Structures are given as structure tokens and as C-alpha cells.
């Protein structure tokens, strides 16, 4: 029988060998220091700002009465959304859109004066607000005996073309007319830069064309784009100065609230004291907060932003444990500890794993209590625990593939990767934040009814991640991504694999769009924030690894969000 002394020696030798074999992603130290975050200014004259806000709201509401033309009102609604102040005017917007849809139903043959611009803008705004509007309202501009007509590609105004391009991204499955329109429009817009005479495209329009072709507005986080739209609106000939003033004040007031929140979260992270023990992992509190703000920016969702920031911070740490630092033997035991939700299961594991597990367990318990209170604490905790366990089990599958040098088929990869994306964990927290009275039956109904939505949002998170990080992951020898899996399975180039993954993202958005036009009123906040979670992924990985590299595009977003007022 082996003595305890020999067992301890063997354990120490094992741990020493593991330390020598550990990989590193060479992530740079966190650039957002605690002292800097605490120094952000959060003082303002609340009474004066509130009075100014009320005055501006009254003036902008008056503009709704003044505007008489359909196009004028459509553009006003559009700019109100783009400038981030739509939540103040829900009644006025809904009343106008109700009359718009009635008008469209009665007017089967729109005249030339109503233009492609009006039709496309009407379609987009109605779809964005959950109306079941058919692409047939664009029919006279898009088809002739079932075929595309050439006047789209030779239209004389880029503004019309742009509206059709943006509208096409709200298409559902089987809406081939919009799929065709999108292809024609993209080619037309690209050609306009080569042959300027083909479309009337001035400097202002060219900026908007480039912006849209980089990422359409439907795939962008609305709040992250407010400053860009403010600059664009300032260039409009018929700009409403009071609307611009309201947008700036609103942005700055929300920024001040966010500054207070990040200070609190930074203090929590400092007090948690795990940064030193987990120095191999990404310390990305501020980026995590940016993501949570992108999901839900309204002040009333302060608690959700706090919960999501903590969730995403731990997602990154645990992901680095599985992907980078731990051995396969360690993560097997680590996963078993999660499955039992028992700290005693990890006594034989390294100290960093104990700290990671215990910290996440404490945060999850705390979150469940804040969500449900004492009465329903265990009910909510059981669902949060299961989501974290499923996440860790999916990461274990990927660790197993890596340890065996196995490259799965794309289907096999996706069946696991949508869970390892962390999407289900994030969306479950969003659900609890938006549904205040829940029972087991209601949660089970949600999990069943919205399973496809959760899957497709999670799929976009994973595939955007893969498109942005595959190069860096391949250089350091990480597990295969969707791109590598498809290249290996189909024996195609990386360029073809990327196009296939992009098409999968397109198809996922069509399915997500369906929920926008088939939603229950009580679920609207959840569906909106679920879409925003997918949009955050596009932002994070549009030009590379948004979490891994801090001093590029994401730094600009954070400075805009938290530091630089309008």
C-alpha cells in the first residue's frame, strides 16, 4: 500500500511536470488599470440636466406633429433610432408605423414619386418593430414577371440603393426576392466606386456606403454606432438641431451612468483578488462590460450589465484554462467538479483551479439570489448551474479533440461549438433579467420555444469568433476552428471555407429575423437583447480578436463608450 508521503511526492512531481508543459497565448497585460477607471469623472448637475432633457423631449415630440409627409416622418423615425433616443418616443413611433402599414396595405401600386427609398425604408422600419410586412411592398421595384429588373443597378441615387441594401438584411428564409436584391445592390455599390457615373454617389453617401458594406446596420450594435450617426446627421441639409442636442445630452447622461457602473465592477474585480493567480488568462473586465452594454444599454438594465460582465469575464478565464493552460487530465477533473458543483472535488488540483471554481461558484450563487430572492433562489440556481456545466463539458470535448490531434467534421464541430461559444449561458442570464416572475414551467417553456433562437445567436457568436481568431489560434497551435474543420473535410482553400462560414452566419440571421416578426409582447426585451448579443460578436471580431488584442478597434469603442463624451 502506498504511503501518504509518497502520494504527496508523486502529486508534486505531477504538478511540476504539468507546469513545465503548460502553453501560453502570450496575451498582453490588461491596459485598463483600476486607478484609471476610478478616476473617470461622474459628477454632473442632475437637476439642470433633467430639466434640459424634459425641454428637449417636448420640442422633439412637437416635430412629429409638424412633419406631414410620409418620407419626412419615416426619416425622422429612422434618425431617432440611429441617434439612440427611440425609447423616449415609443408611443409616437408606434402610432406612425400603424398608419404606415395600413397605408401600404391599401396602396397596392406605389407611384414613382413614392420611390424605392420610401418602400425600402418603410419595410425596414416595420420589420425592425415587429410588424409582419411582406417584401411584396418592394415588388414593383424588384421584379418584372419574376425577374430582377435592371433599374436597381442603374438607379441615379445611392440613397435609394443603400436603403434597399439595409432592408435586405431583415429578410427571412425563402424570401429569395430580397436575397437577389442584396446581391444586385452589393455589386451596384461596389461598381459605383469604379465607375462613378453609374450611381449618383457624393462624398456623404460614399461614407455611408463604405460603412454599410463593412457591416450592415442590422448587424451592428445600435449604441456603439450613435456617435458615428451623430456626425452623419450633422451633415444633413434638413437637420433638426433640437434632435441632435437631445442625442448628445442623452449619450452623455448614459455615459456617466456607465462610468459609475464600471467603477463598481472594477472594485469587485480588485477585491476578488484572482488576477495574480490566473495571470495566464485574459483579464478583460472592461471589454466584458462593453459587451454587456452592447446587449442592454438602457439604465434600467444595470443589474443585467453587472451579471453579464461577471459572466463574460469568467467565460474568458475558464476558456483559457481549458484551451491554453491546463492539461487534459486536469480539465477532466475540473469538469467533474463543475458537474457536482462541489469544491471538494478539486482538492487535488492546482491552486488556480480551486480559486477559479470557488470564485465562479460564489458569483453564480450571488447572481441567483439577486435574480430570484430567497424563495426561488434554488430554482434559478439549478438552471444557471446547468448552463455553466454544459459550457464546461463542451470545452472538455474540444480539449479532448486537441489532445488527440482530432479534427472533427464541421457538423460535429458545430454541434458542440454553439454551446462552447458561451451563448446559452449569456442568453439564460438575459432571460432572467427580462422576465421578472418565473416558474419551472415558464423556464422550461422558454428553453423549448426559443431553443432555435438561442442556437442561432450562439452560432453567430462562435462563427464570428472563428473568423476573427483563426489566424492567431493556428499560429499558436490551438484546437481546430470551424474554418479548419471545413477546409479539412471538403479539401478547399481557406478563402472558400471563410465564405462558407459567412454564408452560415447569413442563414442564422434569417432565422433570428423570424423571431422579430413572430414575437410575444412580453418577450420583446429578451429577443431584442438576444439579437444584440449576436451584434456584439460582429463588433468584437470584425477585424480580428477583440478580446485578445486590446489596443485596436475595441479600444476605440471603449473610449467612445466610457471616456469620451459627445
Amino acid at each position: 500500500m502506498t504511503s501518504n508521503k509518497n502520494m504527496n511526492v508523486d502529486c508534486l512531481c505531477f504538478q511540476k511536470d504539468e507546469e513545465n508543459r503548460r502553453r501560453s497565448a502570450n496575451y498582453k497585460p490588461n491596459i485598463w488599470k483600476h486607478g484609471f477607471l476610478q478616476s473617470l469623472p461622474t459628477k454632473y448637475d442632475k437637476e439642470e440636466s433633467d430639466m434640459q432633457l424634459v425641454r428637449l423631449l417636448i420640442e422633439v415630440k412637437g416635430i412629429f406633429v409638424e412633419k406631414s409627409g410620409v418620407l419626412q416622418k419615416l426619416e425622422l423615425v429612422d434618425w431617432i433610432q440611429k441617434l439612440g433616443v427611440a425609447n423616449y418616443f415609443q408611443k409616437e413611433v408606434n402610432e406612425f408605423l400603424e398608419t404606415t402599414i395600413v397605408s401600404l396595405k391599401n396602396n397596392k401600386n406605389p407611384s414613382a414619386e413614392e420611390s424605392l427609398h420610401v418602400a425600402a425604408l418603410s419595410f425596414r422600419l416595420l420589420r425592425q418593430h415587429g410588424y409582419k410586412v411582406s417584401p411584396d411592398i418592394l415588388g414593383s421595384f424588384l421584379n418584372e414577371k419574376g425577374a430582377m429588373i435592371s433599374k436597381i443597378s442603374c438607379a441615379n441615387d445611392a440613397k435609394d440603393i443603400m436603403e434597399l441594401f439595409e432592408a435586405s438584411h431583415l429578410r427571412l428564409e425563402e424570401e429569395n426576392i430580397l436575397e437577389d436584391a442584396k446581391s444586385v445592390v452589393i455589386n451596384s455599390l461596389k461598381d459605383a466606386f469604379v465607375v462613378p457615373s453609374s450611381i449618383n454617389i457624393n462624398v456623404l453617401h460614399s461614407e455611408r456606403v463604405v460603412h454599410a458594406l463593412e457591416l450592415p446596420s442590422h448587424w451592428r450594435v445600435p449604441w456603439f454606432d450613435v456617435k458615428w450617426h451623430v456626425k452623419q446627421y450633422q451633415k444633413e441639409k434638413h437637420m433638426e438641431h433640437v434632435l441632435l442636442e437631445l442625442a448628445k445630452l442623452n449619450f452623455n447622461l448614459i455615459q456617466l451612468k456607465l462610468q459609475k457602473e464600471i467603477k463598481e465592477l472594477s472594485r469587485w474585480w480588485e477585491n476578488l483578488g484572482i488576477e495574480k493567480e490566473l495571470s495566464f488568462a485574459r483579464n478583460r473586465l472592461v471589454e466584458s462590460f462593453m459587451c454587456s452594454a452592447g446587449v442592454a444599454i438602457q439604465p434600467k438594465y444595470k443589474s443585467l450589465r453587472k451579471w453579464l460582465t461577471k459572466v463574460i469575464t469568467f467565460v474568458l478565464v475558464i476558456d483559457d484554462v481549458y484551451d491554453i493552460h491546463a492539461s487534459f487530465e486536469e480539465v477532466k477533473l475540473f469538469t467533474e467538479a463543475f458537474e457536482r458543483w462541489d469544491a471538494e472535488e478539486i482538492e487535488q488540483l492546482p491552486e488556480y483551479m480551486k480559486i477559479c471554481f470557488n470564485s465562479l461558484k460564489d458569483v453564480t450563487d450571488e447572481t441567483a439570489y439577486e435574480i430570484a430572492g430567497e424563495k426561488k433562489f434554488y430554482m434559478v440556481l439549478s438552471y444557471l448551474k446547468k448552463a455553466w456545466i454544459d459550457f464546461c463539458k463542451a470545452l472538455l470535448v474540444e480539449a479532448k479533440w486537441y489532445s488527440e490531434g482530432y479534427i472533427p467534421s464541421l457538423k460535429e464541430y458545430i454541434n458542440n461549438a454553439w454551446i462552447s461559444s458561451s451563448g446559452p449561458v449569456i442568453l439564460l442570464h438575459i432571460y432572467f433579467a427580462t422576465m421578472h416572475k418565473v416558474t419551472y414551467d415558464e423556464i422550461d417553456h422558454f428553453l423549448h420555444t426559443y431553443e432555435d433562437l438561442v442556437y442561432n445567436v450562439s452560432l453567430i457568436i462562435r462563427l464570428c469568433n472563428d473568423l476573427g481568431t483563426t489566424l492567431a489560434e493556428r499560429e499558436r497551435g490551438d484546437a481546430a476552428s470551424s474554418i479548419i474543420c471545413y477546409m479539412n473535410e471538403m479539401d478547399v482553400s481557406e478563402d472558400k471555407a471563410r465564405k462558407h462560414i459567412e454564408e452560415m452566419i447569413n442563414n442564422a440571421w434569417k432565422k433570428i429575423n423570424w423571431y422579430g416578426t413572430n414575437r410575444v409582447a412580453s418577450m420583446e426585451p429578451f429577443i431584442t437583447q438576444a439579437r444584440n448579443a449576436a451584434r456584439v460578436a460582429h463588433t468584437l471580431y470584425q477585424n480580428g480578436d477583440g478580446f485578445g488584442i486590446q489596443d485596436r478597434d475595441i479600444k476605440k469603442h471603449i473610449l467612445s463608450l466610457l471616456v469620451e463624451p459627445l
Side-chain angles (χ1 to χ4, degrees), residues 486-498:
Y486 190 75
M487 289 171 65
N488 182 68
E489 180 183 2
M490 304 304 293
D491 191 24
V492 296
S493 66
E494 181 172 342
D495 184 56
K496 287 187 177 179
R498 284 181 172 275

Side-chain angles (χ1 to χ4, degrees), residues 69-75 96 100 103-104 107 110-126 137-138 141 159-161 163-164 167:
V70 173
L71 179 57
Q72 283 184 318
K73 282 200 171 182
L74 283 169
E75 290 186 332
F96 168 65
T100 301
S103 174
L104 287 169
N107 188 8
S111 64
E113 286 75 21
E114 291 180 67
S115 80
L116 175 59
H117 180 72
V118 171
L121 183 54
S122 299
F123 175 83
R124 175 166 64 83
L125 291 176
L126 288 165
I137 68 169
L138 300 165
F141 301 103
K159 201 171 182 179
D160 296 356
I161 306 294
E163 278 307 331
L164 181 56

Side-chain angles (χ1 to χ4, degrees), residues 410-460:
L410 181 61
K411 182 178 179 180
E412 186 180 6
Y413 171 86
I414 292 298
N415 285 342
N416 185 73
W418 76 273
I419 301 172
S420 70
S421 74
S422 77
V425 179
I426 290 168
L427 292 178
L428 184 63
H429 282 80
I430 293 173
Y431 170 75
F432 282 131
T434 53
M435 302 299 291
H436 303 293
K437 295 180 180 179
V438 291
T439 63
Y440 279 112
D441 288 343
E442 286 171 332
I443 300 171
D444 289 339
H445 175 72
F446 156 74
L447 293 172
H448 174 72
T449 305
Y450 292 91
E451 181 181 18
D452 193 52
L453 175 63
V454 172
Y455 171 81
N456 282 289
V457 171
S458 301
L459 185 62
I460 288 174

Side-chain angles (χ1 to χ4, degrees), residues 381-416:
L381 181 63
S382 66
Y383 286 97
L384 296 184
K385 280 165 55 177
K386 184 180 184 305
W388 279 114
I389 290 166
D390 289 346
F391 173 65
C392 289
K393 287 168 73 174
L395 291 179
L396 181 64
V397 170
E398 293 175 355
K400 184 174 185 290
W401 289 341
Y402 174 77
S403 69
E404 296 173 351
Y406 175 68
I407 301 178
S409 67
L410 181 61
K411 182 178 179 180
E412 186 180 6
Y413 171 86
I414 292 298
N415 285 342
N416 185 73

Side-chain angles (χ1 to χ4, degrees), residues 470-486:
T470 290
L471 180 60
E473 289 177 348
R474 188 164 52 189
E475 286 176 352
R476 64 175 179 252
D478 284 1
S481 68
S482 57
I483 295 168
I484 303 300
C485 291
Y486 190 75

Side-chain angles (χ1 to χ4, degrees), residues 480-519:
S481 68
S482 57
I483 295 168
I484 303 300
C485 291
Y486 190 75
M487 289 171 65
N488 182 68
E489 180 183 2
M490 304 304 293
D491 191 24
V492 296
S493 66
E494 181 172 342
D495 184 56
K496 287 187 177 179
R498 284 181 172 275
K499 287 179 180 175
H500 182 77
I501 299 306
E502 288 167 0
E503 189 55 33
M504 289 180 69
I505 292 172
N506 276 324
N507 290 332
W509 267 112
K510 292 178 195 175
K511 294 174 181 177
I512 292 170
N513 290 340
W514 181 87
Y515 285 90
T517 57
N518 292 272
R519 58 191 180 189

Side-chain angles (χ1 to χ4, degrees), residues 275-297:
E275 182 181 345
K276 184 177 179 182
E277 291 292 339
L278 301 168
S279 58
F280 62 86
R282 287 164 290 182
N283 174 6
R284 299 295 184 259
L285 177 77
V286 179
E287 286 78 4
S288 300
F289 180 72
M290 183 200 82
C291 294
S292 72
V295 168
I297 194 63

Side-chain angles (χ1 to χ4, degrees), residues 98-165:
E98 286 288 346
T99 61
T100 301
I101 199 162
V102 170
S103 174
L104 287 169
K105 286 178 180 177
N106 294 334
N107 188 8
K108 303 295 183 183
N109 300 300
S111 64
E113 286 75 21
E114 291 180 67
S115 80
L116 175 59
H117 180 72
V118 171
L121 183 54
S122 299
F123 175 83
R124 175 166 64 83
L125 291 176
L126 288 165
R127 277 264 168 112
Q128 284 175 342
H129 285 81
Y131 289 91
K132 290 186 178 181
V133 56
S134 168
D136 289 347
I137 68 169
L138 300 165
S140 65
F141 301 103
L142 299 187
N143 60 38
E144 190 174 78
K145 296 180 180 178
M148 297 294 295
I149 56 174
S150 60
K151 70 175 179 180
I152 296 174
S153 59
C154 63
N156 57 11
D157 194 340
K159 201 171 182 179
D160 296 356
I161 306 294
M162 283 295 302
E163 278 307 331
L164 181 56
F165 173 78

